[in-house]
Amino acid sequence: MRQFDGHISDFMDSLIEESASLEPAPVPAGFSPPLSDKERNKLSEFDSLSLSFLSELFEVNHIRTIYHMFIALLILFILSTLVVDFLDEGRLVLDFDLLVYAFGQLPLVVCTWICMFLSALLVPYSLFHLWSQSQCGSYPRLYSLLFGSVFLFYQAVGLGFFPTYVVVINSLPPASRFIIILEQVRLMMKTHSFVRENVPRILAWTKDKTSPGPVAPQVSQYLYFLFVPTLIYRDKYPRNPVIRWSYVATKLLQVLGCLFYAYYVFVRLCIPQFRSISLQLFDLKAMVLCVFNSILPGVLVLFLGFFAFLHCWLNAFAEMLRFADRMFYKDWWNSTSFANYYRTWNVVVHDWLYYYVYRDFLWMSQKRFRPAAMLFVFTVSAVVHEYILAVCFGFFYPVLFCLFMCFGMMFNFILHDQRKGPIWNIIMWTSLFLGQGVIICLYSQEWYAQRYCPLKENSFLELLKPRSWSCERGLMAD
């Protein structure tokens, strides 16, 4: 055994030496711009810059070719739009009326975001600072109840009701609504994490009182947390020594390219199909055809949303803030179970749900109801997703909620982590594609039904009832 242990030690030493001598492949300029001599000198004490999964995969020529294929498909979308417009209307001008409509009333969006951000910066930090100081005096529980109630009221009204009211009362278009509502959810999650992480620190001080006063975070630390691409508060984060501004510009340009890509997907694949569809009472044959015709645009929108936000947008902000932890997602495309897919698709949101919903639920139940904790996590996630879609689209149609709570929960237990092998990855992708087709089909039908079939009576049940179930028209005009 001693001799065998010696052979193993020698083998591991040689393996480490060999891996240390290997040089990484050069990163193409299109994906990660080269560093200058000044930046290389600053990085001499670091092994390498932290990279996301796709940044590492794009170093491989075969994976980079898939990226080139998507660019070629975008070029074909643009060319087909030009050709169709030329044949139908005799003009060669790219029209972006849909994009201009979707991002309408941007000045109001900017003003609303500034108010939301300033309130999220000042109110929670001020309340927490005053509460931490009150723990030094008498009646600490009374002050905790008071400041806790004020904080919950601010979460419900300041960050909850006010942005939704602005969106609804001003009838903002969909993309502008998404900007405000997504920022609303992000700031609510950020402020909750800040309070949740720092309150136990102050309570621990009230028991020990090893220092003359409670140690509260500085406002600069909280301000940095509000911008940094993570939802878990920490006083300090790993930081990169330099900012690669060319990398930031590349990622922002890729976000802009994905935006135009999604525009052409809707213009070429979605609008012609749903604008001219015959809206009839529920017909199984038409519904099946609609779902399968919506799979391609649904999958493209899924890929574009993932690449634009989780990879490009978050990496751009991480680079500007020198934030070193780029684990915004993992290799979800290799998942053989939906349980693993939920954990790896969006690591940023998953970590927040795990620490502040799942673990806190187990802590309150003394670790006795793990299935109930998992069900609670699914419910919270499904409700928030459905809330975002309902406010942004302007109608209540709980398709995503039903898919999440019914099929999502079922697949989470059927396709669990013990499922291995390629067949389970194929099943996962097939389910994902079908789900995207259902979402695009049903929400698009309801969108046009809301436009072309006004309510006959303004009752609460009529508002909740999907309009596409009862809307019956012939071929719809433009």
Side-chain angles (χ1 to χ4, degrees):
M1 291 299 296
R2 285 195 297 270
Q3 187 177 10
F4 177 75
D5 184 63
H7 286 303
I8 291 295
S9 299
D10 294 339
F11 172 74
M12 293 302 297
D13 292 339
S14 63
L15 187 63
I16 293 173
E17 292 175 1
E18 183 178 356
S19 63
S21 64
L22 295 177
E23 295 183 358
V27 182
F31 298 96
S32 183
L35 299 175
S36 63
D37 294 336
K38 182 179 179 180
E39 291 174 332
R40 292 183 186 279
N41 293 332
K42 289 183 178 181
L43 286 171
S44 59
E45 60 188 72
F46 295 86
D47 293 334
S48 63
L49 286 172
S50 57
L51 299 173
S52 297
F53 263 94
L54 286 183
S55 299
E56 296 177 352
L57 290 176
F58 282 149
E59 299 178 16
V60 182
N61 289 331
H62 304 291
I63 302 299
R64 197 159 60 248
T65 301
I66 300 177
Y67 176 82
H68 296 159
M69 292 166 60
F70 273 86
I71 295 179
L73 186 59
L74 173 60
I75 295 173
L76 290 177
F77 273 133
I78 297 174
L79 290 177
S80 67
T81 304
L82 286 173
V83 170
V84 170
D85 288 347
F86 178 75
L87 294 177
D88 291 345
E89 303 179 16
R91 61 188 179 91
L92 282 173
V93 179
L94 290 176
D95 195 0
F96 298 106
D97 289 344
L98 178 62
L99 208 58
V100 173
Y101 158 73
F103 286 92
Q105 303 187 47
L106 275 182
L108 178 60
V109 173
V110 173
C111 293
T112 305
W113 180 86
I114 292 175
C115 294
M116 290 167 55
F117 177 78
L118 290 178
S119 68
L121 174 64
L122 299 176
V123 176
Y125 185 83
S126 301
L127 289 175
F128 175 79
H129 184 74
L130 293 174
W131 172 79
S132 63
Q133 297 299 322
S134 69
Q135 299 302 298
C136 301
S138 57
Y139 307 109
R141 292 187 177 180
L142 180 61
Y143 282 109
S144 297
L145 180 62
L146 174 63
F147 285 110
S149 301
V150 174
F151 174 72
L152 291 177
F153 178 80
Y154 164 74
Q155 286 277 69
V157 177
L159 285 180
F161 175 77
F162 170 71
T164 306
Y165 177 79
V166 171
V167 160
V168 174
I169 204 68
N170 292 281
S171 301
L172 294 183
S176 299
R177 292 190 179 207
F178 269 105
I179 294 174
I180 293 179
I181 298 303
L182 290 177
E183 278 296 290
Q184 173 198 45
V185 175
R186 183 184 73 91
L187 291 175
M188 292 181 73
M189 296 170 76
K190 290 254 187 184
T191 53
H192 176 85
S193 175
F194 173 76
V195 173
R196 175 65 181 80
E197 293 292 336
N198 287 287
V199 164
R201 182 191 307 181
I202 304 300
L203 293 179
W205 173 85
T206 57
K207 294 181 179 180
D208 299 336
K209 293 189 177 181
T210 55
S211 58
V215 180
Q218 299 179 359
V219 67
S220 59
Q221 294 173 317
Y222 179 53
L223 178 62
Y224 180 79
F225 169 65
L226 288 180
F227 282 103
V228 79
T230 181
L231 297 174
I232 307 297
Y233 175 81
R234 295 290 183 268
D235 289 338
K236 294 181 180 180
Y237 296 97
R239 306 284 292 274
N240 283 333
V242 295
I243 301 176
R244 298 171 293 170
W245 290 108
S246 54
Y247 180 88
V248 174
T250 301
K251 294 304 171 190
L252 294 179
L253 286 175
Q254 287 176 340
V255 171
L256 190 62
C258 290
L259 180 63
F260 282 99
Y261 207 138
Y263 166 78
Y264 282 110
V265 168
F266 281 103
V267 167
R268 301 305 306 155
L269 300 179
C270 292
I271 292 179
Q273 174 187 352
F274 293 103
R275 188 172 57 186
S276 60
I277 195 173
S278 293
L279 286 179
Q280 301 175 354
L281 294 177
F282 181 79
D283 180 52
L284 183 59
K285 178 182 176 181
M287 187 64 62
V288 171
L289 291 176
C290 173
V291 169
F292 280 98
N293 289 333
S294 303
I295 287 178
L296 178 58
V299 170
L300 289 176
V301 169
L302 174 72
F303 288 158
L304 290 171
F306 160 74
F307 183 75
F309 180 72
L310 289 176
H311 179 70
C312 297
W313 185 261
L314 295 186
N315 269 296
F317 266 83
E319 189 69 29
M320 286 187 286
L321 296 169
R322 297 192 294 116
F323 184 69
D325 183 7
R326 306 295 172 87
M327 191 61 69
F328 308 126
Y329 56 90
K330 297 179 182 178
D331 56 336
W332 58 269
W333 46 86
N334 292 326
S335 299
T336 57
S337 67
F338 268 84
N340 185 69
Y341 168 75
Y342 293 140
R343 289 194 299 266
T344 56
W345 159 257
N346 189 340
V347 175
V348 180
V349 174
H350 170 267
D351 288 346
W352 192 93
L353 290 173
Y354 176 75
Y355 282 106
Y356 304 132
V357 180
Y358 181 77
R359 288 184 55 176
D360 283 358
F361 186 94
L362 290 180
W363 172 70
M364 289 187 291
S365 64
Q366 298 181 353
K367 299 182 179 181
R368 288 181 296 183
F369 305 105
R370 291 186 181 273
M374 186 179 298
L375 178 62
F376 186 61
V377 170
F378 269 90
T379 304
V380 170
S381 181
V383 168
V384 173
H385 280 80
E386 191 57 46
Y387 160 77
I388 293 172
L389 293 183
V391 175
C392 295
F393 289 154
F395 56 82
F396 177 73
Y397 195 17
V399 177
L400 186 62
F401 180 84
C402 295
L403 290 177
F404 222 105
M405 292 303 297
C406 298
F407 294 98
M409 281 288 293
M410 181 178 65
F411 286 144
N412 183 69
F413 291 104
I414 295 176
L415 300 179
H416 48 74
D417 290 333
Q418 295 180 0
R419 306 294 189 185
K420 304 294 182 182
I423 185 62
W424 298 106
N425 184 247
I426 295 173
I427 293 175
M428 192 276 295
W429 275 109
T430 304
S431 305
L432 201 61
F433 287 172
L434 282 175
Q436 289 300 118
V438 170
I439 290 173
I440 291 292
C441 171
L442 295 183
Y443 278 112
S444 298
Q445 281 190 350
E446 183 65 19
W447 172 271
Y448 280 103
Q450 293 279 333
R451 298 298 176 275
Y452 289 101
C453 296
L455 279 176
K456 297 179 180 178
E457 57 181 47
N458 292 324
S459 63
F460 181 72
L461 291 178
E462 286 295 326
L463 289 174
L464 293 181
K465 181 182 177 181
R467 203 81 53 86
S468 57
W469 289 6
S470 57
C471 182
E472 187 175 2
R473 288 175 57 96
L475 191 66
M476 291 193 298
D478 210 343

